[in-house]
């Protein structure tokens, strides 16, 4: 992780994960898939943990999921995060691949601050949809509550 100009931490893409961030910059949520056995995997890695194949591709997923878990970080926090507390960090179980869980924040809209959702609204199992926001030159996935 690096620190953005606004002091929020940013991911540092590695060779295996770089395509994830390239697709995110295009507003697409994709996960790595083994072309030998077809299994989706995350985090990205060079070898399939199921069949040991080195052949893979990046497949689009719907961007829908459910909150699997969440936490409300407590101080001490980095200054940029402390200014937005209380905020949430959620773990989202993808609808297309329930064994894959992505971390992020539940926000009221793509560009809303981290504290834009009242912590009392967080519920395990709540349906969410991915959105992307530009932060420090990167498109970062965040989550919004799915409309009923």
């Amino acid at each position: 992780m690096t620190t953005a100009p606004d002091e929020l931490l940013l991911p540092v893409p590695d060779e295996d994960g770089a395509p994830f961030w390239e697709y995110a910059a295009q507003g697409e949520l994709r996960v790595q898939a083994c072309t030998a056995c077809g299994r989706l995997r995350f985090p990205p890695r060079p070898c399939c943990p199921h069949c040991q194949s080195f052949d893979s591709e990046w497949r689009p997923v719907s961007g829908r999921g459910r909150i699997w878990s969440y936490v409300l970080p407590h101080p001490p926090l980095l200054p940029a995060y402390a200014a937005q507390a209380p905020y949430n960090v959620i773990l989202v179980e993808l609808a297309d691949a329930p064994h894959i869980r992505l971390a992020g924040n539940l926000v009221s809209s793509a560009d809303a601050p981290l504290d834009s959702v009242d912590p009392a609204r967080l519920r395990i199992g709540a349906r969410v949809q991915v959105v992307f926001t530009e932060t420090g030159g990167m498109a970062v996935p965040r989550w919004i509550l799915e409309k009923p």
Side-chain angles (χ1 to χ4, degrees), residues 15-137:
E15 185 178 335
D16 295 321
F20 176 87
W21 299 106
E22 291 165 11
Y23 286 114
Q26 299 170 29
E28 293 182 52
L29 186 62
R30 291 189 180 223
V31 295
Q32 196 179 43
C34 177
T35 54
C37 72
R39 301 274 306 258
L40 298 176
R41 64 182 186 246
F42 198 89
R45 48 193 165 256
C47 179
C48 177
H50 307 286
C51 73
Q52 287 69 52
S53 171
F54 284 89
D55 298 325
S56 67
E57 64 185 5
W58 287 84
R59 292 192 188 152
V61 292
S62 69
R64 288 182 163 79
R66 292 181 183 266
I67 296 176
W68 189 80
S69 186
Y70 68 88
V71 65
L72 301 171
H74 296 280
L77 301 168
L78 294 173
Y81 291 93
Q84 296 189 61
Y87 64 92
N88 64 73
V89 178
I90 64 172
L91 200 54
V92 174
E93 179 180 69
L94 296 180
D96 312 78
H99 64 285
I100 293 178
R101 297 181 185 114
L102 301 178
N105 304 98
L106 183 66
V107 291
S108 60
S109 67
D111 295 321
L114 297 181
D115 64 352
S116 63
V117 173
D118 182 347
R121 295 187 63 203
L122 293 169
R123 297 284 181 266
I124 301 295
R127 292 183 177 167
V128 293
Q129 172 70 46
V130 73
V131 292
F132 296 90
T133 190
E134 180 81 17
T135 303

